[in-house]
Amino acid sequence: MSYNVCFLVFLSCLLLLGVTFATNMEQTTIVIDVTRQIAEIDENFVCATLDWWPPEKCNYDQCPWGYASLINLNLSSPLLAKAIQGLCNIYHKPYSHSNRLYAETSLDCCLAFKTLRIRIGGSLQDQVIYDVGDLKTPCTQFKKSDDGLFGFSEGCLYMERWDELNRFFHATGAIVTFGLNALYGREKLRGNAWGGEWDHTNTQDFMNYTVSKGYAIDSWEFGNELSGSGIGASVSVELYGNDLIVLKDVIKNVYKSSRTKPLLLAPGGFYEEKWYSELFRLSGPGVLDVMTHHIYNLGPGNDPKLVSRILDPKYLSGSVTGLFKNVERTIQEHGPWASAWVGEAGGAFNSGGREVSETFINSFWYLDQFGMSSMHNTKVYCRQALVGGFYGLLEKETALLWHRLMGKGVLGIQTNASEYLRTYVHCSKGRAGITILLINLSKQTTFTVGVSNGVKVVLQAESTKRRSFSETTKSKVSWVGKKASDGYLNREEYHLSPKDGDLRSKIMMLNGNPLEPTVTGDIPKLEPVRYSVKSPVYINPLTISFIVLPTFDAPACS
């Protein structure tokens, strides 16, 4: 074989491994504070929503919801069942070294997503009537209506459908949050304001039916985007606070014979400091268990700036970092008994951005949101939506990797990296060590990353001085395989990139391999590549990487 042919074969192998040859190479070091956790997330942090939108829901001459609604979703679909199998428990193969126990991860899928949270709700939530008990109005399906909120009439949740949904939730092990109608019995006032007392009878009858059937509901959420100025409709904080007291009593009475009682969540709106603070004061201590807020910080789905905003680190930080800090402070000062959840977040509102929200590029925004919110004690993050619109989650392997690799404990870091390298560190999930999430928003720079625990450099960054081609490639590929040559002294890497380098591709590559369903519809295994801890880490332009260091000594993670 000629030299040129050998060279081309070798180069092809490197490209499959995700090695790119960027214009710039930048060396950076991450110093991790291993002495304490700065924040903690819930064990089941990853959450996805199911919405009420009927097929007639359209934005910008596009109607992307189809049969993805709670009222018409095909719960027996093999594709749906196969897709949700990816969010499952982690299996670990233990091994020991120097009297310490470590574990090598196996990411084979199990039979259900086990611990995925599902939040049922959305814009039409406050127009849903539950077909149980003595109703004051007929219970019919949603219809287009100029007089209704968001262009639709009131709709009905038939108990037969509720039974079907709960069989599905039970079979998949979902942890369910149900969003309740907070406008029932009220009347419309001026503008988008609604007044009058909330009629809790339909909710109470619905809860009684749910308990009588033995259906497990983790939490009940009151209202959707009615807080502050509201979206479409609003309710004053004085009424809302009183309603929460009433609802808390309803939950206590309905579940008085139950060993566990569901949490009470509210208000499921856009954060306004004064309104949220007053809600705690008016409802009183111990009433509200979780304060929920929504995020659509990228703008409308038809905004031509969506892509540039996702790739702009200043925009990503500037639009929400203060929000997470303020929500955390509001809880600390006014409701320390409660916790914070992002109850709904889709990036771009109005069903998402076509050929953006459902493609690889949106993963930059999505995982960065996970990382930033975690640093401020956000316990749960609900993505809009599991299916439907242009932002369905079913093909987002990013969520699967976070769910499997990132543990509850969040660690503080210092870094000299460019703002284009977004860095987040957690204790690893279900095993020793740490997991680092690295998001490279740069179009031209490859980062070589070193890691220190503040005392010593555990992972040495590659020198950025000019090196020969053979030296550069040798340090990258010498440890590829199931095991590093140093045995237990290895790390695991998961490098995500778009197929063919197209940021709007709907196919994600993991370590150079396409993540596509098998011929039987199964989700492919999410296998890492393993390297010696002595070899440098490379983060290529416009890629996302999870780096697992199972032997990293972090006392805060013990």
Short mmCIF file of all heavy atoms in Angstrom, two decimals, residues 392-431:
data_model
loop_
_atom_site.label_atom_id
_atom_site.label_comp_id
_atom_site.label_asym_id
_atom_site.label_seq_id
_atom_site.Cartn_x
_atom_site.Cartn_y
_atom_site.Cartn_z
N GLY A 392 -39.79 18.55 20.36
CA GLY A 392 -39.94 17.26 21.01
C GLY A 392 -38.61 16.71 21.48
O GLY A 392 -37.58 16.86 20.82
N LEU A 393 -38.61 16.03 22.62
CA LEU A 393 -37.38 15.59 23.27
C LEU A 393 -36.96 14.18 22.90
O LEU A 393 -35.85 13.76 23.20
CB LEU A 393 -37.58 15.68 24.80
CG LEU A 393 -36.43 15.28 25.71
CD1 LEU A 393 -35.22 16.18 25.48
CD2 LEU A 393 -36.86 15.36 27.16
N LEU A 394 -37.81 13.43 22.21
CA LEU A 394 -37.57 12.00 22.08
C LEU A 394 -36.24 11.65 21.41
O LEU A 394 -35.69 10.59 21.65
CB LEU A 394 -38.71 11.35 21.30
CG LEU A 394 -40.00 11.16 22.11
CD1 LEU A 394 -41.05 10.44 21.27
CD2 LEU A 394 -39.74 10.38 23.38
N GLU A 395 -35.69 12.53 20.59
CA GLU A 395 -34.44 12.21 19.91
C GLU A 395 -33.25 12.93 20.53
O GLU A 395 -32.17 12.96 19.95
CB GLU A 395 -34.55 12.57 18.42
CG GLU A 395 -35.60 11.74 17.70
CD GLU A 395 -35.70 12.10 16.24
OE1 GLU A 395 -35.02 13.05 15.80
OE2 GLU A 395 -36.46 11.44 15.54
N LYS A 396 -33.42 13.47 21.73
CA LYS A 396 -32.34 14.25 22.33
C LYS A 396 -31.51 13.38 23.27
O LYS A 396 -31.79 13.25 24.45
CB LYS A 396 -32.92 15.45 23.08
CG LYS A 396 -33.63 16.44 22.16
CD LYS A 396 -32.66 17.05 21.17
CE LYS A 396 -33.31 18.14 20.32
NZ LYS A 396 -34.28 17.63 19.37
N GLU A 397 -30.47 12.77 22.69
CA GLU A 397 -29.59 11.92 23.49
C GLU A 397 -28.85 12.71 24.57
O GLU A 397 -28.32 12.13 25.51
CB GLU A 397 -28.59 11.20 22.58
CG GLU A 397 -29.20 10.14 21.68
CD GLU A 397 -29.90 10.73 20.46
OE1 GLU A 397 -29.77 11.94 20.22
OE2 GLU A 397 -30.59 9.97 19.77
N THR A 398 -28.80 14.01 24.39
CA THR A 398 -28.16 14.85 25.41
C THR A 398 -28.81 14.64 26.77
O THR A 398 -28.13 14.56 27.80
CB THR A 398 -28.27 16.32 25.01
OG1 THR A 398 -29.63 16.62 24.66
CG2 THR A 398 -27.38 16.64 23.84
N ALA A 399 -30.14 14.55 26.79
CA ALA A 399 -30.85 14.35 28.06
C ALA A 399 -30.53 12.99 28.65
O ALA A 399 -30.41 12.84 29.87
CB ALA A 399 -32.35 14.49 27.86
N LEU A 400 -30.37 11.99 27.78
CA LEU A 400 -30.06 10.65 28.27
C LEU A 400 -28.71 10.63 28.95
O LEU A 400 -28.54 10.03 30.03
CB LEU A 400 -30.06 9.64 27.11
CG LEU A 400 -31.27 9.60 26.19
CD1 LEU A 400 -31.14 8.42 25.23
CD2 LEU A 400 -32.57 9.51 26.95
N LEU A 401 -27.73 11.27 28.35
CA LEU A 401 -26.39 11.25 28.92
C LEU A 401 -26.35 12.02 30.24
O LEU A 401 -25.73 11.58 31.21
CB LEU A 401 -25.38 11.83 27.93
CG LEU A 401 -25.03 10.91 26.76
CD1 LEU A 401 -24.20 11.64 25.72
CD2 LEU A 401 -24.29 9.66 27.24
N TRP A 402 -27.00 13.18 30.29
CA TRP A 402 -27.05 13.92 31.56
C TRP A 402 -27.70 13.04 32.63
O TRP A 402 -27.19 12.93 33.74
CB TRP A 402 -27.83 15.22 31.39
CG TRP A 402 -28.00 15.97 32.69
CD1 TRP A 402 -28.82 15.63 33.73
CD2 TRP A 402 -27.29 17.14 33.11
NE1 TRP A 402 -28.69 16.53 34.77
CE2 TRP A 402 -27.76 17.46 34.41
CE3 TRP A 402 -26.34 17.96 32.52
CZ2 TRP A 402 -27.29 18.58 35.11
CZ3 TRP A 402 -25.88 19.06 33.23
CH2 TRP A 402 -26.34 19.36 34.50
N HIS A 403 -28.83 12.45 32.30
CA HIS A 403 -29.59 11.63 33.24
C HIS A 403 -28.73 10.50 33.81
O HIS A 403 -28.84 10.14 34.98
CB HIS A 403 -30.81 11.07 32.53
CG HIS A 403 -31.69 10.19 33.37
ND1 HIS A 403 -32.54 10.69 34.34
CD2 HIS A 403 -31.84 8.85 33.40
CE1 HIS A 403 -33.18 9.69 34.92
NE2 HIS A 403 -32.78 8.57 34.36
N ARG A 404 -27.88 9.93 32.99
CA ARG A 404 -27.10 8.77 33.40
C ARG A 404 -25.78 9.12 34.06
O ARG A 404 -25.26 8.34 34.86
CB ARG A 404 -26.82 7.89 32.17
CG ARG A 404 -28.07 7.25 31.60
CD ARG A 404 -27.75 6.61 30.27
NE ARG A 404 -28.89 5.85 29.78
CZ ARG A 404 -28.88 5.19 28.64
NH1 ARG A 404 -27.81 5.22 27.87
NH2 ARG A 404 -29.95 4.52 28.25
N LEU A 405 -25.20 10.27 33.71
CA LEU A 405 -23.83 10.56 34.14
C LEU A 405 -23.71 11.62 35.23
O LEU A 405 -22.81 11.55 36.07
CB LEU A 405 -22.99 11.00 32.93
CG LEU A 405 -22.90 10.01 31.77
CD1 LEU A 405 -22.14 10.65 30.61
CD2 LEU A 405 -22.25 8.71 32.19
N MET A 406 -24.60 12.60 35.23
CA MET A 406 -24.46 13.75 36.14
C MET A 406 -25.22 13.49 37.43
O MET A 406 -26.45 13.35 37.44
CB MET A 406 -24.98 15.02 35.47
CG MET A 406 -24.30 15.35 34.15
SD MET A 406 -22.57 15.84 34.29
CE MET A 406 -22.74 17.61 34.59
N GLY A 407 -24.49 13.44 38.55
CA GLY A 407 -25.09 13.17 39.85
C GLY A 407 -25.71 14.41 40.48
O GLY A 407 -25.73 15.50 39.90
N LYS A 408 -26.17 14.25 41.72
CA LYS A 408 -26.89 15.32 42.41
C LYS A 408 -25.98 16.46 42.85
O LYS A 408 -26.37 17.63 42.82
CB LYS A 408 -27.61 14.74 43.65
CG LYS A 408 -28.70 13.77 43.34
CD LYS A 408 -29.17 13.05 44.60
CE LYS A 408 -29.74 14.00 45.63
NZ LYS A 408 -30.28 13.29 46.81
N GLY A 409 -24.76 16.14 43.26
CA GLY A 409 -23.87 17.16 43.81
C GLY A 409 -23.23 18.01 42.74
O GLY A 409 -22.65 17.49 41.78
N VAL A 410 -23.31 19.34 42.90
CA VAL A 410 -22.72 20.29 41.96
C VAL A 410 -21.46 20.87 42.59
O VAL A 410 -21.47 21.30 43.75
CB VAL A 410 -23.71 21.42 41.62
CG1 VAL A 410 -23.12 22.34 40.55
CG2 VAL A 410 -25.05 20.85 41.18
N LEU A 411 -20.37 20.88 41.84
CA LEU A 411 -19.09 21.35 42.35
C LEU A 411 -18.72 22.70 41.73
O LEU A 411 -18.99 22.95 40.55
CB LEU A 411 -17.99 20.34 42.05
CG LEU A 411 -18.21 18.93 42.63
CD1 LEU A 411 -17.05 18.02 42.25
CD2 LEU A 411 -18.38 18.97 44.14
N GLY A 412 -18.08 23.55 42.53
CA GLY A 412 -17.63 24.84 42.05
C GLY A 412 -16.34 24.71 41.27
O GLY A 412 -15.53 23.82 41.52
N ILE A 413 -16.14 25.60 40.32
CA ILE A 413 -14.94 25.55 39.49
C ILE A 413 -14.38 26.95 39.28
O ILE A 413 -15.08 27.96 39.41
CB ILE A 413 -15.20 24.90 38.12
CG1 ILE A 413 -16.16 25.78 37.29
CG2 ILE A 413 -15.72 23.50 38.25
CD1 ILE A 413 -16.22 25.41 35.83
N GLN A 414 -13.10 26.98 38.93
CA GLN A 414 -12.45 28.18 38.40
C GLN A 414 -11.75 27.75 37.12
O GLN A 414 -11.20 26.65 37.05
CB GLN A 414 -11.45 28.75 39.39
CG GLN A 414 -12.08 29.37 40.63
CD GLN A 414 -11.05 29.99 41.55
OE1 GLN A 414 -9.91 29.55 41.61
NE2 GLN A 414 -11.45 31.02 42.28
N THR A 415 -11.79 28.60 36.13
CA THR A 415 -11.17 28.22 34.87
C THR A 415 -10.62 29.46 34.16
O THR A 415 -11.16 30.56 34.32
CB THR A 415 -12.17 27.50 33.94
OG1 THR A 415 -11.55 27.20 32.69
CG2 THR A 415 -13.41 28.35 33.69
N ASN A 416 -9.55 29.25 33.42
CA ASN A 416 -8.99 30.33 32.62
C ASN A 416 -9.43 30.22 31.17
O ASN A 416 -8.87 30.85 30.28
CB ASN A 416 -7.45 30.32 32.69
CG ASN A 416 -6.87 29.01 32.17
OD1 ASN A 416 -7.59 28.06 31.86
ND2 ASN A 416 -5.54 28.96 32.07
N ALA A 417 -10.47 29.43 30.94
CA ALA A 417 -10.92 29.17 29.57
C ALA A 417 -11.64 30.37 28.97
O ALA A 417 -12.18 31.23 29.69
CB ALA A 417 -11.85 27.96 29.54
N SER A 418 -11.67 30.40 27.69
CA SER A 418 -12.48 31.36 26.96
C SER A 418 -13.95 31.19 27.34
O SER A 418 -14.39 30.10 27.73
CB SER A 418 -12.31 31.13 25.45
OG SER A 418 -13.40 31.64 24.71
N GLU A 419 -14.72 32.27 27.20
CA GLU A 419 -16.15 32.19 27.51
C GLU A 419 -16.88 31.24 26.57
O GLU A 419 -18.01 30.82 26.85
CB GLU A 419 -16.77 33.59 27.41
CG GLU A 419 -16.67 34.20 26.02
CD GLU A 419 -17.20 35.62 25.96
OE1 GLU A 419 -17.82 36.05 26.96
OE2 GLU A 419 -17.01 36.29 24.93
N TYR A 420 -16.25 30.86 25.48
CA TYR A 420 -16.89 29.96 24.52
C TYR A 420 -16.83 28.50 24.97
O TYR A 420 -17.52 27.66 24.40
CB TYR A 420 -16.24 30.10 23.13
CG TYR A 420 -16.69 31.34 22.42
CD1 TYR A 420 -16.04 32.56 22.61
CD2 TYR A 420 -17.80 31.32 21.57
CE1 TYR A 420 -16.46 33.71 21.97
CE2 TYR A 420 -18.24 32.47 20.92
CZ TYR A 420 -17.56 33.67 21.13
OH TYR A 420 -18.00 34.81 20.50
N LEU A 421 -16.04 28.21 25.98
CA LEU A 421 -16.01 26.85 26.52
C LEU A 421 -16.81 26.86 27.82
O LEU A 421 -16.35 27.31 28.87
CB LEU A 421 -14.58 26.38 26.79
CG LEU A 421 -14.48 24.92 27.28
CD1 LEU A 421 -14.95 23.95 26.19
CD2 LEU A 421 -13.06 24.59 27.71
N ARG A 422 -18.02 26.38 27.77
CA ARG A 422 -18.91 26.33 28.92
C ARG A 422 -18.61 25.07 29.71
O ARG A 422 -18.58 23.97 29.15
CB ARG A 422 -20.37 26.33 28.47
CG ARG A 422 -20.68 27.30 27.34
CD ARG A 422 -20.80 28.71 27.81
NE ARG A 422 -22.06 28.96 28.49
CZ ARG A 422 -22.44 30.14 28.93
NH1 ARG A 422 -21.62 31.19 28.79
NH2 ARG A 422 -23.60 30.30 29.54
N THR A 423 -18.40 25.20 31.02
CA THR A 423 -17.92 24.10 31.83
C THR A 423 -18.77 23.92 33.08
O THR A 423 -19.00 24.88 33.81
CB THR A 423 -16.45 24.32 32.24
OG1 THR A 423 -15.66 24.56 31.07
CG2 THR A 423 -15.91 23.11 32.98
N TYR A 424 -19.20 22.68 33.32
CA TYR A 424 -19.98 22.35 34.51
C TYR A 424 -19.50 21.00 35.06
O TYR A 424 -19.19 20.09 34.29
CB TYR A 424 -21.48 22.27 34.16
CG TYR A 424 -21.99 23.54 33.51
CD1 TYR A 424 -22.16 23.62 32.13
CD2 TYR A 424 -22.28 24.66 34.28
CE1 TYR A 424 -22.60 24.80 31.53
CE2 TYR A 424 -22.73 25.84 33.69
CZ TYR A 424 -22.89 25.90 32.32
OH TYR A 424 -23.33 27.06 31.75
N VAL A 425 -19.42 20.91 36.39
CA VAL A 425 -18.89 19.70 37.02
C VAL A 425 -19.85 19.22 38.11
O VAL A 425 -20.28 20.00 38.95
CB VAL A 425 -17.50 19.95 37.64
CG1 VAL A 425 -16.96 18.67 38.27
CG2 VAL A 425 -16.53 20.47 36.58
N HIS A 426 -20.16 17.92 38.06
CA HIS A 426 -20.99 17.28 39.08
C HIS A 426 -20.27 16.05 39.62
O HIS A 426 -19.39 15.48 38.96
CB HIS A 426 -22.32 16.81 38.48
CG HIS A 426 -23.31 17.91 38.24
ND1 HIS A 426 -24.63 17.80 38.57
CD2 HIS A 426 -23.16 19.15 37.69
CE1 HIS A 426 -25.28 18.92 38.23
NE2 HIS A 426 -24.39 19.74 37.68
N CYS A 427 -20.66 15.63 40.81
CA CYS A 427 -20.30 14.29 41.24
C CYS A 427 -20.93 13.31 40.25
O CYS A 427 -22.03 13.55 39.75
CB CYS A 427 -20.85 14.01 42.65
SG CYS A 427 -20.27 15.16 43.92
N SER A 428 -20.24 12.23 39.96
CA SER A 428 -20.79 11.25 39.03
C SER A 428 -22.01 10.57 39.64
O SER A 428 -22.14 10.46 40.86
CB SER A 428 -19.74 10.21 38.65
OG SER A 428 -18.73 10.79 37.85
N LYS A 429 -22.89 10.10 38.80
CA LYS A 429 -24.13 9.49 39.27
C LYS A 429 -23.93 8.01 39.58
O LYS A 429 -23.54 7.23 38.71
CB LYS A 429 -25.23 9.64 38.22
CG LYS A 429 -26.62 9.27 38.73
CD LYS A 429 -27.68 9.71 37.74
CE LYS A 429 -29.08 9.53 38.34
NZ LYS A 429 -30.14 10.03 37.40
N GLY A 430 -24.17 7.65 40.84
CA GLY A 430 -24.14 6.26 41.23
C GLY A 430 -22.78 5.60 41.25
O GLY A 430 -22.66 4.38 41.26
N ARG A 431 -21.72 6.41 41.28
CA ARG A 431 -20.37 5.85 41.27
C ARG A 431 -19.40 6.89 41.82
O ARG A 431 -19.76 8.05 42.03
CB ARG A 431 -19.97 5.46 39.84
CG ARG A 431 -19.92 6.65 38.90
CD ARG A 431 -19.80 6.30 37.43
NE ARG A 431 -18.59 5.59 37.12
CZ ARG A 431 -18.17 5.38 35.86
NH1 ARG A 431 -18.86 5.83 34.83
NH2 ARG A 431 -17.06 4.72 35.64
#
